[in-house]
Amino acid sequence: MARARRVTSIDVAREAGVSQATVSYVLNNVSHQKIAEETRQRVFAAVRKLGYTPSAAARTLRLGRSDIVLLLIANIPLGSTAIELIEHLTADLERHGLSVITRIESGRTVASLWKDLAPAAVVSFAPLARQHRADMRAAGTYVVNVWGDSDGEPNVMAQGQIRVGRMQIDHLVSRGHARVGYAAPADARVRAFFEPRLEGVRQGCAEHGLTPPSVREVALDMDAATAAARAWRDEDVTAVCAFNDEIAIALLAGLRAAGLSAPGDLAVIGVDDNPMARFAEPPLTTIDQHMGAVAAELADTVLAGLERPDARRSAPPESTTLVIRRSA
Amino acid sequence: MARARRVTSIDVAREAGVSQATVSYVLNNVSHQKIAEETRQRVFAAVRKLGYTPSAAARTLRLGRSDIVLLLIANIPLGSTAIELIEHLTADLERHGLSVITRIESGRTVASLWKDLAPAAVVSFAPLARQHRADMRAAGTYVVNVWGDSDGEPNVMAQGQIRVGRMQIDHLVSRGHARVGYAAPADARVRAFFEPRLEGVRQGCAEHGLTPPSVREVALDMDAATAAARAWRDEDVTAVCAFNDEIAIALLAGLRAAGLSAPGDLAVIGVDDNPMARFAEPPLTTIDQHMGAVAAELADTVLAGLERPDARRSAPPESTTLVIRRSA
DNA sequence: TTGTATGCGTTATCAG
DNA sequence: CTGATAACGCATACAA
């Protein structure tokens, strides 16, 4: 039993009683070709009737470019926040005929994957060698960098992350704190988010007339967390902005181990509203980012970069909320 | 300045002084064509010199099938464990010329993505409609189901997860517990792991002559966790196997809220060795799964399914460890 | 406004 | 081993 032959545009043409070229014109509504409305409808009807789906491989071969958006993600845990972002981004771009595909990266093999897929765009939440970026761009791929900005390349998400840091410090100041610390991640792979968040805290300190935050790296182990808690305490820091909820939770555990408590001895505020945040001792105050809005902004960047006419140009909606629990 | 033309197999043939067909034979080492070793080397040299990469689009168009393995993932948070699994699987299959690509799914658009990519195999950690599976298989895609098994389709990872449940109960029994509970996830999306783990606990109970576990769903909120803790306590359960560390941590918080403590009033054991586990109060005893081994097994399944000659057939190494802390 | 013809880069077949 | 040639399915310049 022969495997069912694929439905091609030729089949559609035959069914609609037009030429294959016409089918192509209609389906890609080519601007410099006027097609009679009645013909268009016949083509669409035939497409539906036969269940025609264009062959991506053939399109790619012909155009030298696929309709894929390659999402590169560093090999870090993806919390519900990150998953939500990816999900929204996927849905948003899908709506514009782009297929989002994700690659969890260690780093080396991206180049070959890129060549294989010939994606329309690459959105990178992972370090991407300058040379690779250059190659991709030279070949016409639109590259969006959401990693760091040390390499002379702006991080498109930096603004939002700066706002997150601002919200943390603003809340602490509103609670009367004047000397704050910043709990930085030990994992360099999250630099892309760490740097702008810290920058936001710094800006906030400057604006409120406070001395800059005392930055300490807090590794995810009990000893490190305890030591950090004591050190901040010793320099009269009364509140700490943590890079994220995991570090905040570690710090709370460190406080307990040091015989201190939050928010009395040291107030702690996180970022993400991790599902575990409410179970911390005490329950963790944190910043929640609404990924729908963040994703919409990112999707827009991509569409604009691909020069799609349908990129929105509206101001992004507010995308972060303060979740007050007990730790700050 | 014209965009650099692509290097094709014809270029390689010219460079190596052979015919294009020969290049194809060499590169795909076709069995029914004997090629002189010296010729082969010339071809490889030319490939390297010109930096030739076959066009995946053309290959796919011709063969009707790409070298891509599509990894479907449900839209649940991916902890470090899951990320590690994906990373290892990617690396393992890459070594065999297969490109792993991930799609975070809400569910509907898989079909079109599948048609677009024409993947060699689909590995699904997400629900996949029976009809879709059938379509894919009919078209020659090898489908691996790692989701549930309610649909008459075995879950290839079930055995390993059963072992995980066994380890939980074995540890509790070794600590003298005789009446145990099971903390089930409220999120149905993790059924694929939940069911076999619970099954493992049940088997263990049967084998040790205990009554089956008292199963309760524990949602990730304080009230639910507190209520569950009290309920188990009331039925003289002395220890609980939690589906994963998140639920275990929630339960520990619930115990505290109910004025109880672990392991005295109720011992708790989780699964995953989540980074937060050591910061729980008390630090959480849990089962750590070594994803390198799990991934290797999965990669093997895929290779065997694709009838690659290079699929290993060795027994998988031990892939789980008990991490004893204080909660059980 | 529609149809014809060509090429994108492979793989595969077949006669030498 | 080579050389020639036919698909694979689509988009597009050009002819009608």
Side-chain angles (χ1 to χ4, degrees):
Chain A
M1 138 180 150
R3 202 142 80 207
R5 207 181 50 76
R6 207 196 152 85
V7 177
T8 77
S9 62
I10 297 188
D11 298 324
V12 173
R14 200 173 0 243
E15 174 73 26
V18 299
S19 81
Q20 183 269 331
T22 305
V23 172
S24 191
Y25 289 143
V26 170
L27 264 40
N28 302 307
N29 47 14
V30 176
S31 54
H32 68 279
Q33 279 286 352
K34 291 273 120 207
I35 307 273
E37 184 56 26
E38 195 250 357
T39 310
R40 287 170 48 87
Q41 292 311 326
R42 275 219 313 282
V43 170
F44 286 132
V47 165
R48 268 195 309 280
K49 176 168 176 196
L50 301 180
Y52 168 73
T53 325
S55 149
R59 267 182 74 90
T60 305
L61 181 57
R62 181 61 233 252
L63 299 177
R65 166 148 304 103
S66 70
D67 284 333
I68 285 176
V69 173
L70 179 59
L71 207 59
L72 298 177
I73 312 256
N75 55 349
I76 51 182
L78 302 179
S80 38
T81 322
I83 294 291
E84 218 186 314
L85 173 58
I86 296 174
E87 217 184 327
H88 277 113
L89 189 61
T90 304
D92 286 358
L93 291 177
E94 196 88 34
R95 214 167 291 131
H96 295 272
L98 295 170
S99 283
V100 175
I101 266 177
T102 297
R103 168 68 156 229
I104 309 288
E105 258 317 316
S106 14
R108 246 165 332 292
T109 59
V110 194
S112 86
L113 182 61
W114 167 69
K115 276 196 172 179
D116 275 10
L117 294 178
V122 170
V123 177
S124 179
F125 287 85
L128 192 53
R130 155 177 247 132
Q131 182 61 49
H132 283 341
R133 289 200 308 254
D135 289 350
M136 293 176 181
R137 292 205 167 108
T141 304
Y142 179 66
V143 180
V144 180
N145 173 43
V146 201
W147 181 244
D149 53 357
S150 58
D151 213 13
E153 175 100 11
N155 172 344
V156 293
M157 281 189 52
Q159 277 312 315
Q161 298 309 305
I162 288 176
R163 276 206 307 275
V164 166
R166 288 297 304 254
M167 289 190 71
Q168 288 186 299
I169 188 68
D170 287 352
H171 175 64
L172 294 182
V173 168
S174 82
R175 292 294 165 110
H177 296 280
R179 181 75 184 107
V180 306
Y182 192 90
D187 189 337
R189 294 172 303 180
V190 295
R191 236 187 53 211
F193 297 86
F194 159 52
E195 285 174 353
R197 283 180 197 173
L198 173 55
E199 174 60 20
V201 172
R202 287 204 169 111
Q203 288 180 9
C205 282
E207 195 157 307
H208 290 293
L210 311 187
T211 55
S214 162
V215 179
R216 293 181 184 282
E217 201 170 88
V218 178
L220 292 183
D221 71 72
M222 194 60 100
D223 291 344
T226 309
R230 289 211 173 98
W232 272 311
R233 182 70 184 155
D234 289 345
E235 50 181 358
D236 295 322
V237 162
T238 63
V240 171
C241 301
F243 165 70
N244 67 11
D245 286 353
E246 297 201 343
I247 290 175
I249 290 173
L251 184 55
L252 290 177
L255 278 172
R256 289 198 302 274
L260 303 171
S261 77
D265 296 303
L266 197 65
V268 177
I269 182 170
V271 177
D272 270 354
D273 199 12
N274 182 304
M276 294 297 97
R278 70 189 64 191
F279 302 120
E281 187 61 37
L284 183 67
T285 292
T286 186
I287 306 290
D288 185 17
Q289 307 184 67
H290 301 135
M291 288 301 130
V294 177
E297 208 174 329
L298 203 47
D300 242 35
T301 305
V302 172
L303 292 173
L306 295 179
E307 294 168 356
R308 298 264 175 150
D310 38 8
R312 279 176 316 151
R313 269 286 136 252
S314 55
E318 198 45 62
S319 57
T320 49
T321 310
L322 174 63
V323 180
I324 300 179
R325 296 208 178 89
R326 296 219 323 269
S327 70
Chain B
M1 134 183 154
R3 201 142 78 208
R5 206 181 51 75
R6 207 197 153 83
V7 177
T8 78
S9 62
I10 296 187
D11 299 324
V12 173
R14 202 179 352 249
E15 173 73 27
V18 300
S19 80
Q20 185 275 331
T22 306
V23 173
S24 191
Y25 289 144
V26 170
L27 263 41
N28 303 307
N29 47 12
V30 176
S31 53
H32 67 277
Q33 277 288 349
K34 289 276 122 206
I35 308 274
E37 184 55 26
E38 195 250 356
T39 311
R40 286 169 49 86
Q41 293 310 327
R42 275 220 313 282
V43 170
F44 287 132
V47 164
R48 267 196 309 279
K49 176 169 177 197
L50 302 180
Y52 168 72
T53 326
S55 150
R59 266 181 76 91
T60 306
L61 180 58
R62 179 62 232 247
L63 300 177
R65 169 147 302 104
S66 70
D67 284 333
I68 284 176
V69 174
L70 180 58
L71 206 60
L72 297 177
I73 312 256
N75 55 348
I76 51 181
L78 302 179
S80 36
T81 323
I83 294 291
E84 218 185 315
L85 173 58
I86 297 174
E87 217 185 326
H88 277 114
L89 189 61
T90 305
D92 286 357
L93 291 178
E94 196 88 34
R95 213 167 292 130
H96 296 271
L98 294 170
S99 284
V100 175
I101 266 177
T102 297
R103 168 67 156 228
I104 308 290
E105 258 317 316
S106 14
R108 246 164 330 293
T109 57
V110 195
S112 85
L113 182 60
W114 167 69
K115 276 196 173 177
D116 274 10
L117 294 178
V122 170
V123 177
S124 179
F125 287 85
L128 191 53
R130 154 177 250 134
Q131 183 60 52
H132 282 341
R133 289 200 307 254
D135 289 351
M136 292 175 182
R137 292 205 167 108
T141 304
Y142 179 64
V143 180
V144 181
N145 173 45
V146 201
W147 181 242
D149 54 357
S150 59
D151 215 11
E153 175 100 10
N155 172 346
V156 292
M157 280 191 52
Q159 277 312 315
Q161 299 308 304
I162 287 177
R163 275 206 309 273
V164 166
R166 286 299 302 257
M167 289 190 70
Q168 288 187 299
I169 188 69
D170 287 352
H171 175 65
L172 295 181
V173 167
S174 81
R175 292 294 164 112
H177 296 280
R179 180 76 184 106
V180 306
Y182 191 90
D187 189 337
R189 294 172 303 180
V190 295
R191 234 187 55 211
F193 297 87
F194 159 53
E195 286 174 354
R197 284 180 197 172
L198 173 55
E199 173 60 20
V201 172
R202 285 205 170 109
Q203 288 181 7
C205 282
E207 196 157 304
H208 291 293
L210 310 188
T211 56
S214 162
V215 179
R216 294 182 184 280
E217 199 169 272
V218 177
L220 293 183
D221 70 75
M222 194 59 101
D223 291 344
T226 310
R230 289 212 173 95
W232 271 312
R233 182 71 185 153
D234 290 345
E235 50 181 358
D236 295 322
V237 161
T238 63
V240 171
C241 302
F243 164 70
N244 66 12
D245 287 353
E246 297 201 342
I247 290 175
I249 290 173
L251 184 55
L252 290 177
L255 278 171
R256 288 198 304 273
L260 303 170
S261 76
D265 295 304
L266 197 64
V268 177
I269 182 170
V271 177
D272 270 356
D273 199 13
N274 182 304
M276 295 297 96
R278 69 190 63 192
F279 303 119
E281 188 59 40
L284 182 66
T285 292
T286 186
I287 307 289
D288 185 18
Q289 306 184 67
H290 302 135
M291 288 301 130
V294 177
E297 208 175 329
L298 202 48
D300 242 34
T301 306
V302 171
L303 292 173
L306 296 179
E307 293 169 356
R308 298 265 176 150
D310 38 8
R312 279 176 317 152
R313 268 288 137 249
S314 55
E318 199 45 63
S319 57
T320 48
T321 310
L322 173 63
V323 180
I324 300 180
R325 294 206 179 91
R326 295 218 325 267
S327 71

